[in-house]
Amino acid sequence: NAGVTQTPKFQVLKTGQSMTLQCAQDMNHEYMSWYRQDPGMGLRLIHYSVGAGITDQGEVPNGYNVSRSTTEDFPLRLLSAAPSQTSVYFCASSYGATGSSYNSPLHFGNGTRLTVT
Amino acid sequence: GQQVMQIPQYQHVQEGEDFTTYCNSSTTLSNIQWYKQRPGGHPVFLIQLVKSGEVKKQKRLTFQFGEAKKNSSLHITATQTTDVGTYFCAGKAGTALIFGKGTTLSVSS
């Protein structure tokens, strides 16, 4: 199993450009999520999904869109990049979340380092 | 919304000293998870605590969950240079997992 795969590893964008960060997992996990990590701010949840066709907003959703058309893929779209979106982005997945009072451990991808100039 | 607060933000120790990081939630947690992120790496799951007052050990690491299930701690005995990294706690908020800001540990030999 490859686990959680994120592409690209590095990306530089100009203000106003759009792009999609890709995330794929091969563990048949129901739950997938996107976090951004900034110095001193920890990991902040952007969007998450508890299954195909279901998405929801996290703590910092503005400026980002997601969709979940398959169990395996959970792309994150930046609609119009801004310097404030310069960050390291992590995709994470886990087994089963709906209706459970517990969380299964999150499996993280290696991250995408995004710079917006 | 739910907040998970972690202190201290940074800690530097000499190799062999002990280290503790604390996690506090504004609401009662159903469970809490701990992760470690090495410099330049991604967070890796360490452990999950579920029961009130639960204590779990992994070699030199001791994890505790408070009686009220609103706080938790991670204690490392006799730190080693391999313990360097950022330690995060994470608590469940609805369906999602909310992370604290982390404690970055540096160790000098």
Side-chain angles (χ1 to χ4, degrees), chain A residues 35 37 101 103 106 109-110, chain B residues 30 33 35 37 48 92 97:
Chain A
Y35 290 88
Q37 185 172 32
S101 61
N103 287 84
L106 283 174
N110 288 331
Chain B
S30 57
Q33 297 181 355
Y35 291 77
Q37 183 179 25
Q48 177 165 258
K92 185 176 171 71
L97 203 60

Side-chain angles (χ1 to χ4, degrees), chain A residues 73-88:
Chain A
D73 300 297
F74 191 45
L76 177 72
R77 280 182 288 277
L78 279 70
L79 308 174
S80 177
S84 61
Q85 293 179 304
T86 293
S87 187
V88 179

